[in-house]
Amino acid sequence: MKKKIFLMELKVENIPSHLLKKLSLSIYNKFIQKLKKENFFYKKIKWFSTPRRLAIKIKNIHLKNQEKYKIYKGPATEIAFDKKGKKTQITKIWMKKFNISSNKIKILKIKKKKYLTYQKKKKINYKKKLAQITKKILYSLSYFYSMRWNEKKYKFIRPIRNILMILNKKVIKYKIFGLKTNNYTQSYLYNTKKDIKILNAKDYPKILLEKGKVIANYEKRKQKLHSKIIKLASKNNSYLKINNSLLEEVNSLIEYPHTLIVPFQKKYLFIPQEINIYIIEKILKSFPLFNKKNKLKSIFIIVINIKKKNHKKIISGYQSVILSKLQDVLFFLKRDTKEKIKKKKKSLKKVIFYKNLGNMYEKSNRLKKIITFFQKKIQFNLQEGIRAASLSKCDIITHMVTEFPDLQGIIGSYYAKVSNESKNIYQGIREQYLPKYKNDKLPKTSIGIALSISDKLDNIVGMFMIGQKPKGEKDPFALRRAAIGIIKIIIQNKISLNLNKIIKKIIMIYNFKISSPQIYKKIVIFIIKRFNNFYCKEKNIKNIIQSVISSKKINLLKINKKIQMILKFIQSNDFKEILITNKRIENFFKKKSLKLPNKIKKSLLKKNIEKKLVKKIGKLKKKIHLLNFKKKYNQTIIEIIKINKYIKKFFNTVKINNKIEEIKINRFTILNKIKKIFSMIANFSYLY
């Protein structure tokens, strides 16, 4: 059978840049799932996306079996034949209706009763099937902030203008979103009046690049963009700090990258560098340039779709925008710095943190108390830490943060600096929100670390207490991101904390009457579950995490080290032997419910292996206590591997369920001691 290429392209109005890749991958993954379910096979599937198109190209697509059978049920056998075994009139009428010959009749048992049946081959129209699959997938994407764009009830992220759907050279005729499918596409921004006809699916996206000047492949377009900005920066004796999230965003705004240099007045470079960078990156979606000393230059790179000989108007437009924003910044800075930052704190009483959680003044006072819990573990000047916490939210009511909310913290740090606060204080204020997003940098200063953890824990505890925890994919207060940030900071800086204790203290600071006395446990579990993000590629990671959090004291640093330890050993034969031993011990205790003494009676040890094992157990318990204290978990497993040889020998040579009750209880006590030693490392029962 000839294998074919399927192509589908959805032509839409501009898709929001932050959703483009997510939407494209969702369509791609849904095609993989649906094709598998519908028994389709293919060699390769590719996704393409630009702000104005979403496409899927499937190479060598075919159905495993293009034929299916439809069963026609006839009369029951009891009325199908007479006493002589001849066909009754009912049977003859049924056979005549479907033009059935006697040799094509089969008897099938349906719901405990036998019937005459006829199976008719029905060829599958797999073009239609592909169209149906496409329709279901596209209609299922309504959860992407959908909108309606005409009198119809169709919903999608943006209005759909055209649907291309072909198999090799032939259009798959179908109707989706009220539009008839065809084999036409368009270039970027309708720069040509004529549509581009795709004569063969294999030519996509090559024909689109040649005739429409569009790079449909998302990753190739990003590589092209990256290469162009690097070259242009080098040409202008400048250096780039590649912001990957900005690179992704700009790539999602264009269909073919063209780069230009835009200059602005040098006199504005005295404005704090972070503010200028923010305006260039976040507002202008452009790339700032730096000199050898890592100082911002008065030029930046813009990326556009249109290539023209004269770009003066475009450059002038960007210059007008940046000049306007920089003038606003100067005005706001002058107004905000008329008084010292500490005088702004009282105004925080007017700013609500969240309903039932008080105002920002109360939040900053909570942070003053929370930050003290970390002083011994993180080691910072306590007075400076409290001062930083007290001033941390003062920039919220400034003109600068009102205009540029994303600069919160950075602006507070700048105002604290000009108010003559110490370096430790203003650096701590700057770092309080780090990390803000995936792969963002972490706080480096001691006060910044303590304040960041304090702020994130305060948010999580407060929202859980009023029942605003994340549900499903919804997380409006970014609590998952906050929890991941806490874990990252603690692991990176090797901070050993009793999380249960700290969360309980924060709950007491809120002084709420909580309906559930176990609220802190829910918060702890919520934070620990975020370890899944760190080890998402590892098999059985949920069970591994569960195995190391069975203790009463939750220490994120220890949990991470134990996870790493198990991941290192889990595939080894020695570790598998430990799991077998643990399971054998648990099986003994499932069968018996005995009251066991705390101590092993040495007088009841009858076999040499018993005596050796008991000696090893005594020494091992002390050794593992010491190794756990030093967080040398890899060594603890090695010690368990060593003693496991004696435990196996013990099982093979000693009868646990001895007829003499005292000896039996003594042997169960030995097993219980081993079980407790194993639990000092992890709850291995989660790993079977």
Side-chain angles (χ1 to χ4, degrees), residues 639-684:
E639 294 300 326
I640 290 289
I641 288 167
K642 286 177 185 176
I643 200 172
N644 195 43
K645 295 172 185 177
Y646 293 92
I647 300 168
K648 283 167 70 179
K649 214 170 185 181
F650 174 70
F651 276 128
N652 294 334
T653 57
V654 173
K655 189 177 180 182
I656 309 295
N657 288 306
N658 197 281
K659 290 178 182 179
I660 301 167
E661 187 70 13
E662 282 184 325
I663 294 173
K664 182 178 79 172
I665 287 173
N666 204 48
R667 286 173 180 171
F668 266 92
T669 305
I670 293 169
L671 293 181
N672 198 40
K673 293 283 182 186
I674 296 165
K675 189 180 174 186
K676 284 179 179 179
I677 289 170
F678 279 18
S679 68
M680 288 166 71
I681 300 165
N683 188 340
F684 294 124

Side-chain angles (χ1 to χ4, degrees), residues 554-612:
I554 300 298
N555 186 307
L556 298 179
L557 186 64
K558 287 181 180 179
I559 288 170
N560 188 59
K561 286 198 170 188
K562 285 189 174 185
I563 291 168
Q564 289 177 337
M565 172 267 292
I566 290 174
L567 288 171
K568 182 180 177 181
F569 286 97
I570 199 164
Q571 296 303 323
S572 69
N573 290 328
D574 288 328
F575 193 85
K576 288 171 184 175
E577 289 291 335
I578 290 170
L579 296 183
I580 292 167
T581 298
N582 193 74
K583 196 168 187 178
R584 286 184 77 175
I585 293 169
E586 285 197 341
N587 287 339
F588 271 106
F589 283 98
K590 279 179 184 175
K591 295 170 189 174
K592 302 282 180 182
S593 55
L594 300 167
K595 286 185 178 181
L596 301 174
N598 290 325
K599 291 184 179 180
I600 298 165
K601 289 183 180 179
K602 291 182 181 180
S603 60
L604 294 171
L605 302 175
K606 302 299 178 185
K607 302 267 185 178
N608 284 333
I609 187 62
E610 281 185 285
K611 294 171 186 177
K612 280 183 182 179

Side-chain angles (χ1 to χ4, degrees), residues 102-272:
S102 296
N103 62 334
K104 289 183 179 178
I105 294 173
K106 288 184 179 180
I107 296 172
L108 287 179
K109 198 173 185 180
I110 303 169
K111 292 182 181 179
K112 297 181 180 180
K113 201 171 182 181
K114 291 181 179 180
Y115 292 88
L116 300 187
T117 61
Y118 163 60
Q119 291 184 354
K120 188 179 179 182
K121 280 185 181 180
K122 189 180 178 184
K123 197 167 183 179
I124 298 169
N125 183 342
Y126 77 97
K127 284 184 185 178
K128 188 179 178 181
K129 204 157 187 67
L130 279 170
Q132 288 169 342
I133 288 169
T134 303
K135 185 178 180 179
K136 282 180 184 177
I137 289 169
L138 296 178
Y139 280 19
S140 73
L141 296 166
S142 59
Y143 59 87
F144 273 96
Y145 311 99
S146 296
M147 61 179 286
R148 292 187 178 93
W149 61 92
N150 54 26
E151 69 280 359
K152 305 289 183 183
K153 292 182 179 180
Y154 305 122
K155 290 170 74 179
F156 203 69
I157 193 165
R158 286 292 182 270
I160 296 166
R161 299 306 181 200
N162 187 61
I163 301 169
L164 177 150
M165 192 156 54
I166 56 177
L167 194 67
N168 278 5
K169 297 178 182 180
K170 292 184 179 179
V171 175
I172 299 176
K173 292 181 181 179
Y174 210 67
K175 209 171 185 180
I176 304 174
F177 294 114
L179 298 169
K180 289 180 180 179
T181 57
N182 54 56
N183 61 347
Y184 290 96
T185 187
Q186 289 171 326
S187 66
Y188 69 88
L189 298 174
Y190 300 97
N191 78 320
T192 56
K193 291 180 181 179
K194 291 181 180 179
D195 290 332
I196 299 166
K197 194 173 185 180
I198 305 294
L199 297 172
N200 197 322
K202 71 181 177 66
D203 296 330
Y204 191 94
K206 186 182 176 183
I207 199 79
L208 194 56
L209 178 60
E210 289 173 355
K211 291 189 176 182
K213 296 297 179 186
V214 171
I215 302 175
N217 187 304
Y218 184 92
E219 294 302 326
K220 284 184 178 179
R221 190 169 68 252
K222 189 169 78 171
Q223 288 168 14
K224 183 85 171 174
L225 168 63
H226 185 269
S227 174
K228 283 204 162 195
I229 60 173
I230 291 287
K231 283 179 183 177
L232 190 57
S234 179
K235 192 177 176 181
N236 285 271
N237 299 314
S238 303
Y239 298 89
L240 270 167
K241 294 177 185 175
I242 297 295
N243 181 331
N244 287 320
S245 61
L246 177 64
L247 193 71
E248 292 277 353
E249 186 178 9
V250 173
N251 189 47
S252 298
L253 289 167
I254 57 166
E255 296 198 301
Y256 191 100
H258 297 287
T259 53
L260 296 170
I261 288 285
V262 176
F264 64 97
Q265 295 175 41
K266 284 185 180 180
K267 68 178 184 178
Y268 291 105
L269 289 177
F270 82 91
I271 292 171

